[in-house]
């Protein structure tokens, strides 16, 4: 009996810690505020505090209905579901009462700045410039190390460590980015990654509502977005709904085991996400692919849990409304629950009809990638509602095609032609993100030897910026930065030269670049600025010819105007009989955009080895 009494007193003492001076200790309120008159009137408020589940909850506000109070297995959580259908902008109180003690939590419903349809997403009119914030530029060395955060060193000699790049560094170089000619920046994750190591890349989020303080603050992020908009640049935010970091408070002190897959126990994913659309796949194969964890320090969200689903959906809407971002790139899209991701896309696009979302669909065939695009016939009657998918199969082919000789039935540019003949599998080929490298792949210029081959680079960049879809280039591509994934991911994510005080080389300015780098930069800049505002390349249909004489010819057409690209995929000179091409080249003479020279088109077209011609008609 005495032991039972002592146990009771110990438990009472523990529960009473947070009640000192009659106050309930609240650690997190998520989201910290919301907006009135959103299209979806439901709001989930997550409260995290010491033993708060024993409290009674009431609200004091006008037009606000407390629909549901949900307790979890963990007494440190309360989930409130509110109906804001009749609510106007105001600050109301959440009242937590236990016995005679009451804790008041003020909560603000802000007036919306955006209308929803005024947020314009990225489209095929745009070219995205992908930046890893930690590796681009260090604009504020004072935030390199933040006291109390787990990874407390900056070491630029260690490719796996933090290097100190930040939002201010990006902001300082927006003129460089804008002058280059891109129209949008895609930032690798900027939310808090308070992990013990490897936090630089950002893909293990520990607080979804907080910008990592080593990159800046929430306010600095919003300022960066505003400044980018002033310079005609859209901003795409990287998000991860498949998993979080193990230092996330929602995992360390989880509301319940059912917030994460496999009851919050680590089970490794197979990475074989083709099983999701495989009609022959076993249930086990599908489950281990989508519910398995990437690593033991990346707990896999259970999006079938309605509370998890609402938390993640609201978080993305919060960032759109708060910062005015123009798009989201969703990491590891096929690894998350299909129905949840479909609902997420649907809700975001209902709130912001001109927004865009691109999913990382890293699959090795166009058939598999096409399954994930909105309105895919292959997925019917299911619908992902995902507008844009990443064209990884084309990325792989581009890294082969410009190194090979082109034949009429294989090799080189034939691979690109053959792949594009299969675009029928896509619901919307113009809404494919096209790229030849990013932060997870070897750079297009893998080695110094490849970087010296400017003909290869120019052909690839020309194709990237003139084919169908939404082009994306990776920071440093324009100055021939190299990187081989075989040497580790850090090799792909080198610091941009000149982004740090004391750098011996500054590639942000012409005099800091080599002759070769300047030639690549100016070629890229010329193409990008020509593409900017070019409706033919933004919206035009694609017509192409099968390979002849090792040469690929294709046309983009829109509103009576056209662009014709002629590309010799061999090292040898070629001569084309133009009779077959009269439907796209009816003129007897035309000026090549790249050289500015007039070209005779009466009978035959002579091409130098690997020559590129662009005709604007």
């Amino acid at each position: 009996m005495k032991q039972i009494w002592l146990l009771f007193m110990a438990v009472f003492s523990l529960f009473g810690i947070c009640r000192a001076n009659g106050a309930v200790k609240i650690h997190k309120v998520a989201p910290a505020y919301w907006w009135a008159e959103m299209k979806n009137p439901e709001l989930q408020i997550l409260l995290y505090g010491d033993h708060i589940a024993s409290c009674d909850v009431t609200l004091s506000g006008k037009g606000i209905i407390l629909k549901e109070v949900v307790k979890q297995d963990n007494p440190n959580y309360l989930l409130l579901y509110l109906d804001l259908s009749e609510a106007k902008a105001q600050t109301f109180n959440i009242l937590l009462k236990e016995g005679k003690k009451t804790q008041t939590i003020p909560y603000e419903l802000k007036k919306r700045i955006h209308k929803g349809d005024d947020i314009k997403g990225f489209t095929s009119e745009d070219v995205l410039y992908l930046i890893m914030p930690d590796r681009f530029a260090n604009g504020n060395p004072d935030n390199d190390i933040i006291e109390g955060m787990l990874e407390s060193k900056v070491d630029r000699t260690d490719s796996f460590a933090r290097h100190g790049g930040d939002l201010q560094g990006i902001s300082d170089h927006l003129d460089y980015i804008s002058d280059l000619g891109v129209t949008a920046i895609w930032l690798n994750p900027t939310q808090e990654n308070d992990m013990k190591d490897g936090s630089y890349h950002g893909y293990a989020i520990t607080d979804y509502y907080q910008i990592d303080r080593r990159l800046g603050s929430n306010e600095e992020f919003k300022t960066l977005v505003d400044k980018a908009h002033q310079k005609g640049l859209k901003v795409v935010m990287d998000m991860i709904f498949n998993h979080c970091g193990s230092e996330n408070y929602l995992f360390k002190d989880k509301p319940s085991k059912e917030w994460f897959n496999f009851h919050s126990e680590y089970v490794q994913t197979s990475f074989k996400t083709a099983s999701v659309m495989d009609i022959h796949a076993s249930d086990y194969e599908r489950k281990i692919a989508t519910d398995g964890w990437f690593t033991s320090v990346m707990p896999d969200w259970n999006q079938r849990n309605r509370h998890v689903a609402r938390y993640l959906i609201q978080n993305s809407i919060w960032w759109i409304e708060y910062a005015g971002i123009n798009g989201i790139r969703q990491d590891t899209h096929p690894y998350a629950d299909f129905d949840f991701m479909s609902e997420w896309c649907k809700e975001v696009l209902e709130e912001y009809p001109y927004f865009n979302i691109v999913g990382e669909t890293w699959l090795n065939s166009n058939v598999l990638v096409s399954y994930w695009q909105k309105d895919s016939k292959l997925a019917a009657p299911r619908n992902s509602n995902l507008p844009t998918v990443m064209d990884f199969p084309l990325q792989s082919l581009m890294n082969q095609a410009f190194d090979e000789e082109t034949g009429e039935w294989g090799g080189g540019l034939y691979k690109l032609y053959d792949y594009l003949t299969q675009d029928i599998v896509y619901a919307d080929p113009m809404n494919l993100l096209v790229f030849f490298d990013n932060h997870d792949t070897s750079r297009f210029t893998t080695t110094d030897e490849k970087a010296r081959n400017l003909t290869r680079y120019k052909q690839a960049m020309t194709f990237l910026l003139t084919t169908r879809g939404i082009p994306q280039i990776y920071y440093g591509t324009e100055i021939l930065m190299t990187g081989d994934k075989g040497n580790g991911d850090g090799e792909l994510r080198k610091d941009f030269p000149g982004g740090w005080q004391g750098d011996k080389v500054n590639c942000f300015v012409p005099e800091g670049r080599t002759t070769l780098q300047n030639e690549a930069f100016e070629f890229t800049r010329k193409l990008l600025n020509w593409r900017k505002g070019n409706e033919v390349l933004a919206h035009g249909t694609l017509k192409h010819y099968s390979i002849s004489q090792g040469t690929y010819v294709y046309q983009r057409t829109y509103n009576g105007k056209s662009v014709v690209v002629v590309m010799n995929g061999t090292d040898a000179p070629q001569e084309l009989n133009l009779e077959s091409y009269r439907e796209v080249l009816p003129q007897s003479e035309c000026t090549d955009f790249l050289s500015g020279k007039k070209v005779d088109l009466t009978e035959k077209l002579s091409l130098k080895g690997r020559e590129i011609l662009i005709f604007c008609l």
Side-chain angles (χ1 to χ4, degrees):
M1 184 67 184
K2 182 178 180 181
Q3 289 177 326
I4 294 174
W5 172 253
L6 290 174
L7 177 62
F8 171 79
M9 291 300 294
V11 171
F12 177 83
S13 175
L14 178 65
F15 273 67
I17 290 174
C18 66
R19 302 296 191 260
N21 301 319
V24 175
K25 189 174 182 180
I26 300 296
H27 303 297
K28 294 280 186 181
V29 178
Y33 53 82
W34 198 246
W35 294 268
E37 301 181 357
M38 301 290 283
K39 291 180 182 177
N40 183 350
E42 183 179 77
L43 172 64
Q44 175 202 78
I45 300 177
L46 181 149
L47 301 179
Y48 173 49
D50 295 340
H51 307 288
I52 61 174
S54 57
C55 296
D56 293 324
V57 182
T58 57
L59 302 179
S60 65
K62 296 180 180 180
I64 301 170
I65 298 173
L66 179 59
K67 296 198 305 179
E68 187 178 11
V69 177
V70 180
K71 298 179 181 181
Q72 298 288 280
D73 295 340
N74 185 338
N76 292 338
Y77 288 91
L78 282 172
L79 295 168
L80 315 183
Y81 286 88
L82 280 55
D83 182 349
L84 305 178
S85 300
E86 303 300 324
K88 302 296 182 183
Q90 61 185 282
T91 297
F92 65 92
N93 291 325
I94 302 171
L95 305 174
L96 303 183
K97 185 177 181 181
E98 186 178 28
K100 296 181 179 180
K101 302 170 185 177
T102 300
Q103 175 81 359
T104 301
I105 305 171
Y107 196 91
E108 185 179 8
L109 281 181
K110 294 178 178 287
K111 183 177 181 180
R112 293 190 71 177
I113 298 174
H114 302 289
K115 300 176 182 177
D117 58 2
D118 58 341
I119 301 274
K120 306 300 181 185
F122 63 95
T123 69
S124 54
E125 297 176 354
D126 295 302
V127 178
L128 277 59
Y129 188 77
L130 168 58
I131 297 172
M132 180 158 282
D134 182 65
R135 302 296 165 90
F136 189 66
N138 188 350
N140 180 14
D142 291 341
N143 65 19
D144 287 358
I145 297 174
I146 299 295
E147 185 178 352
M149 297 195 78
L150 298 178
E151 189 170 9
S152 58
K153 73 170 183 175
V154 170
D155 184 356
R156 294 180 67 196
T157 66
D158 182 351
S159 64
F160 197 62
R162 298 193 73 90
H163 288 190
D166 51 31
L167 299 180
Q168 186 60 52
I170 297 169
S171 180
D172 291 344
H173 293 94
L174 286 179
D175 284 339
Y176 167 86
I177 296 168
S178 178
D179 177 68
L180 180 62
V182 298
T183 59
I185 55 174
W186 155 23
L187 306 180
N188 288 128
T190 52
Q191 292 147 296
E192 183 191 89
N193 267 249
D194 193 12
M195 299 292 287
K196 295 176 182 177
D197 52 42
S199 66
Y200 77 93
H201 56 68
Y203 285 96
I205 294 175
T206 54
D207 190 334
Y208 277 76
Y209 283 98
Q210 177 65 50
I211 293 294
D212 194 296
R213 287 170 287 164
R214 292 160 297 190
L215 298 179
S217 64
N218 287 10
E219 292 76 15
E220 285 176 288
F221 179 80
K222 186 179 186 303
T223 298
L224 173 62
V225 174
D226 291 341
K227 188 175 177 181
H229 288 169
Q230 291 168 13
K231 296 183 180 296
L233 296 167
K234 298 174 182 176
V235 179
V236 179
M237 194 173 183
D238 213 323
M239 294 190 177
I240 310 101
F241 284 0
N242 178 66
H243 55 266
C244 67
S246 57
E247 295 293 332
N248 192 307
Y249 72 95
L250 291 169
F251 180 74
K252 290 182 71 176
D253 191 22
K254 58 189 70 63
S256 82
K257 291 182 178 180
E258 303 315 309
W259 274 56
F260 298 91
N261 285 321
F262 287 104
H263 310 292
S264 295
E265 296 294 329
Y266 167 59
V267 176
Q268 179 64 50
T269 178
S270 67
F271 299 104
K272 297 175 181 177
T273 53
S275 61
V276 175
M277 67 286 292
D278 180 2
I279 62 173
H280 307 295
S282 67
D283 292 341
Y284 170 81
E285 286 285 349
R286 292 193 183 98
K287 183 175 178 61
I288 201 68
T290 58
D291 289 6
W293 299 21
F294 259 54
T295 71
S296 60
V297 296
M298 290 181 171
D300 208 71
W301 289 111
N302 174 17
Q303 300 100 3
R304 293 178 295 275
N305 180 320
R306 71 180 177 103
H307 309 305
V308 173
R310 184 51 44 198
Y311 175 84
L312 294 173
I313 290 172
Q314 279 189 181
N315 177 257
S316 61
I317 291 174
W318 189 90
W319 282 108
I320 300 168
E321 191 71 17
Y322 169 70
I325 59 174
N326 307 96
I328 291 170
R329 180 266 191 181
Q330 184 60 244
D331 186 61
T332 56
H333 197 101
Y335 289 85
D337 182 73
F338 184 99
D339 293 333
F340 160 75
M341 296 299 272
S342 173
E343 178 62 24
W344 167 62
C345 290
K346 178 174 174 288
E347 288 200 32
V348 169
L349 294 172
E350 284 175 348
E351 197 71 61
Y352 309 97
Y354 301 111
F355 196 75
N356 198 3
I357 303 169
V358 55
E360 183 195 28
T361 45
W362 199 340
L363 297 152
N364 296 323
S365 84
N366 49 2
V367 172
L368 297 177
V369 172
S370 72
Y371 180 92
W372 291 95
Q373 191 173 34
K374 181 182 178 181
D375 298 332
S376 169
K377 293 179 181 178
L378 295 181
R382 304 175 91 188
N383 195 327
S384 71
N385 292 310
L386 174 64
T388 305
V389 290
M390 294 178 68
D391 200 344
F392 274 96
L394 183 60
Q395 181 266 340
S396 177
L397 293 173
M398 290 177 69
N399 278 269
Q400 303 167 31
F402 303 102
D403 291 319
E404 302 173 349
E405 285 285 300
T406 301
E408 294 203 13
W409 294 99
L413 304 184
Y414 179 86
K415 292 181 175 180
L416 306 180
Y417 159 77
D418 183 58
Y419 180 77
L420 293 175
T421 65
Q422 303 163 39
D423 269 1
I424 192 172
V425 301
Y426 288 112
D428 186 1
M430 288 299 291
N431 254 344
L432 300 174
L433 192 74
V434 293
F435 58 103
F436 48 63
D437 58 8
N438 68 21
H439 62 288
D440 282 328
T441 71
S442 289
R443 283 189 176 270
F444 182 72
T445 48
T446 312
T447 63
D448 289 338
E449 180 183 1
K450 286 189 174 181
R452 287 191 290 270
N453 187 347
L454 274 189
T455 300
R456 172 182 182 268
Y457 175 86
K458 289 178 180 181
Q459 284 202 332
M461 188 60 72
T462 299
F463 177 76
L464 178 70
L465 298 179
T466 57
T467 193
R468 76 343 180 222
I470 306 169
Q472 169 254 302
I473 63 175
Y474 187 32
Y475 80 95
T477 292
E478 71 278 14
I479 58 166
L480 305 175
M481 284 178 65
T482 61
D484 186 342
K485 192 175 178 68
N487 297 324
D489 284 347
E491 177 76 5
L492 319 174
R493 306 161 182 175
K494 297 174 183 174
D495 297 344
F496 194 102
W500 278 252
Q501 293 178 15
D503 279 1
K504 294 180 180 179
V505 175
N506 181 8
C507 287
F508 285 111
V509 295
E511 54 271 25
R513 300 190 285 262
T514 66
T515 301
L516 198 69
Q517 287 174 325
N518 270 322
E519 186 175 348
F521 178 90
E522 290 301 332
F523 181 85
T524 307
R525 181 175 177 273
K526 180 175 182 175
L527 281 179
L528 284 168
N529 281 282
W530 167 63
R531 192 186 190 282
K532 190 187 299 185
N534 189 320
E535 291 188 338
V536 176
L537 297 178
H539 306 294
T541 57
L542 171 65
K543 178 185 289 186
H544 64 174
Y545 287 81
S546 59
I547 302 297
S548 177
Q549 302 297 113
T551 302
Y552 186 30
V553 178
Y554 57 95
Q555 177 198 52
R556 302 292 304 280
T557 308
Y558 185 75
N559 278 352
K561 296 182 179 180
S562 69
V563 169
V564 177
V565 178
V566 181
M567 196 176 294
N568 181 358
T570 73
D571 292 330
Q574 300 293 341
E575 191 170 73
L576 288 183
N577 186 328
L578 293 176
E579 192 60 34
S580 304
Y581 302 97
R582 285 302 173 203
E583 64 183 279
V584 300
L585 289 173
Q587 288 88 341
S588 60
E589 186 181 74
C590 198
T591 300
D592 169 38
F593 167 75
L594 294 175
S595 67
K597 296 179 180 179
K598 290 186 177 181
V599 179
D600 181 13
L601 301 175
T602 52
E603 293 184 11
K604 294 183 178 181
L605 179 61
S606 296
L607 297 166
K608 300 173 185 176
R610 302 286 176 178
E611 186 172 10
I612 314 162
L613 297 173
I614 300 176
F615 301 122
C616 303
L617 308 173

